[in-house]
Amino acid sequence: MANNYDVLFIGSGPGGYVGAIRAAQLGLKVGVVERTHIGGICPNWGCIPAKALLRSAEIFHYIEHAKDYGLIAEKTGVDIAGVVKRSRGIAAQMSNGVGFLLKKNKVDVIWGQATLTAPGKVTVAASAEPAPKGALAAGEYTAKNIVIATGARPRALPGIEPDKKLIWTYFGALAPASVPKSLLIMGSGAIGVEFASFYKAMDSDVTIVELLPQILPVEDAEIAEHARKRFEKQGIKILTGAKVSKVVKGADSVTATVETADGKVQTLTADRLISAVGVVGNIENLGLEALGVKTDRGCVVVDGLCRTNVPGVWAIGDVAGPPMLAHKAEHEGVIAAEAIAGKHAHAMDKLMIPGCTYCMPQIASVGLTEAKAKEAGYELKVGRFPFIGNGKAVALGEPEGLVKTIFDAKTGRLLGAHLVGAEVTEMIQGFVLAMNLETTEEELINAVFPHPTVSETMHESVLSAYGRAIHI
């Protein structure tokens, strides 16, 4: 039957399209159901266009500080329409690229809203969005395996719901008509601090309000504190242990009531407010309840191989729970595809998933924080190395940064690595590989790092943990 598949992926985001391509490589007949954007949120309204904005901000920052490099730059300014146009163009290019890859691997794209109507059966209703060329139409489809890859959406707080005008989620923040003179951001996770960096570089007066006592709550406390000092040095205002309890909309501004942990109340008025208080899985209207698929706190419950409690139904990516990261979704897509194909798939080890935040300065980490390692009962050796001791970082004009490594004192096992500074999102993979290979401190110490590179800070941090640092 033309409408019968070995596996149907519901959603074409990083998990869905990667999983579909891997399943096709393994000889399975594969389809992907999508209702809005080929490639999902990441290339269209998330990771990629956000990084394009941040690249523009980074270049503008360097132009504004040209004198620090012995250069002269005059009559500089921001063309926000041009910045957004570049970002949206890159998003379209990436989405088209995903479509090409699906076609190349003979994966059918089915256009519409999917509902699981019975075991192995999916009804696809027509979508309001125009279908890409070659996509199959709405209708009834069957599959031996169905993979839920529907992603997540921004969480909305009661009374502070986004309106696309005064209160934004990342959708509005990615394509502003103009740069707001003042901006209030709720939440200091990756999305919050990335937009704080972008808009501050664009000359907005930025204030971050964070409910918890630490910004970047999932990061190591020492790294988060270093980042906070850098943000505040740039002029970003930060209120921790505080919450926005009420928002009143004006004609072209919002006034927020902010309550702090010590009981103090203040009002803050800003041109725009970005709600960056997390995301929630897209589990509604899929027919999961009727099939008895177990969910928990807005996400589908899965095991290490991405299987739900219902045979033949799988879930990957953001909809399958944290960490809600594109690269985690991609890896889960491969795990599910290989398990469905009967291969020896390896279960995901979430401690090995790196986290990257592309603010200025960048932040990257993998494994346990120092606090979590102590909680787990490890005796620790902790190494630290500042960028100021690294020749390449100083030459780049980026002497503010820190690499922190955490080892099990008894075995030499690398438990965690935490970095803040220029280009650390490109460096973290070295520690990820080390942890996956179960590398010990001895092997890291004996590895030769090229000079001059910022990556030498990684080596020195390991040396520091064992009292052997050279350049500090």
Side-chain angles (χ1 to χ4, degrees):
M1 292 176 61
N3 288 6
N4 184 42
Y5 293 88
D6 293 313
V7 54
L8 269 180
F9 286 81
I10 312 301
S12 71
Y17 86 77
V18 169
I21 290 171
R22 180 63 184 135
Q25 289 175 343
L26 293 169
L28 303 180
K29 184 180 180 184
V30 187
V32 171
V33 184
E34 179 54 62
R35 63 182 182 181
T36 52
H37 306 288
I38 293 294
I41 290 296
C42 181
N44 288 283
W45 288 100
C47 319
I48 302 303
K51 305 311 163 283
L53 293 184
L54 285 162
R55 179 60 170 166
S56 293
E58 181 182 38
I59 290 174
F60 185 58
H61 168 80
Y62 285 125
I63 292 172
E64 289 286 275
H65 291 82
K67 187 177 180 180
D68 297 342
Y69 298 86
L71 305 174
I72 298 171
E74 298 176 341
K75 297 182 180 179
T76 62
V78 173
D79 172 14
I80 192 62
V83 170
V84 172
K85 181 179 179 181
R86 176 179 183 272
S87 173
R88 298 313 310 151
I90 290 170
Q93 178 183 344
M94 300 306 296
S95 180
N96 291 337
V98 172
F100 168 78
L101 290 172
L102 291 171
K103 183 178 180 180
K104 174 186 174 183
N105 286 277
K106 297 180 173 54
V107 175
D108 288 343
V109 173
I110 304 161
W111 202 250
Q113 170 69 48
T115 305
L116 282 66
T117 49
K121 294 185 179 180
V122 175
T123 298
V124 179
S127 170
E129 297 291 330
K133 183 179 178 181
L136 302 182
E140 302 292 327
Y141 295 86
T142 60
K144 298 172 185 175
N145 296 277
I146 298 167
V147 183
I148 309 299
T150 48
R153 63 186 182 278
R155 186 184 301 277
L157 298 182
I160 317 178
E161 292 86 359
D163 62 5
K164 299 182 181 180
K165 179 187 176 184
L166 299 175
I167 302 177
W168 295 341
T169 63
Y170 52 75
F171 288 97
L174 280 167
S178 61
V179 176
K181 291 182 180 179
S182 56
L183 180 65
L184 180 63
I185 300 177
M186 293 193 310
S188 70
I191 292 174
V193 297
E194 286 184 3
F195 280 121
S197 286
F198 171 72
Y199 280 100
K200 184 59 186 175
M202 297 291 104
D203 206 26
S204 284
D205 183 8
V206 178
T207 301
I208 298 173
V209 178
E210 169 58 51
L211 180 63
L212 296 174
Q214 173 187 311
I215 66 165
L216 297 158
V218 302
E219 300 294 344
D220 184 87
E222 188 174 355
I223 297 296
E225 182 59 25
H226 180 106
R228 178 174 185 156
K229 290 177 180 177
R230 293 280 301 277
F231 296 152
E232 290 177 334
K233 186 177 180 181
Q234 295 166 25
I236 296 172
K237 304 176 191 71
I238 299 173
L239 298 174
T240 48
K243 68 175 180 178
V244 176
S245 59
K246 182 182 178 182
V247 171
V248 177
K249 298 179 185 179
D252 198 30
S253 65
V254 295
T255 298
T257 300
V258 179
E259 300 177 6
T260 56
D262 58 8
K264 294 179 181 178
V265 177
Q266 61 178 302
T267 57
L268 300 174
T269 299
D271 292 343
R272 297 293 181 269
L273 183 151
I274 296 178
S275 179
V277 292
V279 296
V280 60
N282 293 319
I283 62 173
E284 299 84 2
N285 305 314
L286 291 171
L288 302 182
E289 300 88 350
L291 290 184
V293 175
K294 187 177 179 180
T295 61
D296 180 39
R297 289 172 288 184
C299 295
V300 179
V301 177
V302 297
D303 65 9
L305 296 180
C306 306
R307 298 174 293 202
T308 72
N309 61 306
V310 176
V313 179
W314 311 65
I316 60 174
D318 288 0
V319 77
M324 295 177 172
L325 302 167
H327 44 281
K328 175 254 195 184
E330 291 180 348
H331 199 71
E332 285 182 326
V334 172
I335 289 172
E338 293 183 350
I340 288 168
K343 303 297 181 181
H344 180 61
H346 292 273
M348 175 79 76
D349 182 349
K350 292 186 177 181
L351 271 180
M352 302 290 187
I353 301 173
C356 294
T357 306
Y358 300 84
C359 47
M360 293 179 278
Q362 293 182 5
I363 296 151
S365 60
V366 65
L368 296 174
T369 64
E370 184 176 0
K372 290 291 185 183
K374 287 178 178 177
E375 276 180 33
Y378 289 104
E379 180 184 343
L380 304 180
K381 283 188 176 292
V382 179
R384 298 171 180 84
F385 192 81
F387 276 30
I388 191 64
N390 176 264
K392 180 66 178 292
V394 174
L396 289 174
E398 299 288 354
E400 296 183 84
L402 178 69
V403 177
K404 180 177 181 178
T405 44
I406 301 165
F407 292 88
D408 179 355
K410 294 181 179 179
T411 66
R413 175 188 168 198
L414 179 62
L415 300 174
H418 309 273
L419 297 75
V420 56
E423 299 305 320
V424 296
T425 57
E426 299 291 342
M427 292 160 55
I428 189 63
Q429 191 61 18
F431 285 130
V432 175
L433 286 170
M435 290 181 66
N436 273 272
L437 294 171
E438 299 180 354
T439 303
T440 67
E441 95 291 349
E442 182 179 1
E443 291 159 319
L444 286 168
I445 286 172
N446 289 332
V448 178
F449 284 68
H451 176 79
T453 63
V454 182
S455 70
E456 290 173 279
T457 59
M458 300 164 66
H459 193 215
E460 291 275 9
S461 179
V462 176
L463 291 170
S464 169
Y466 289 84
R468 294 179 53 179
I470 302 296
H471 291 96
I472 191 170

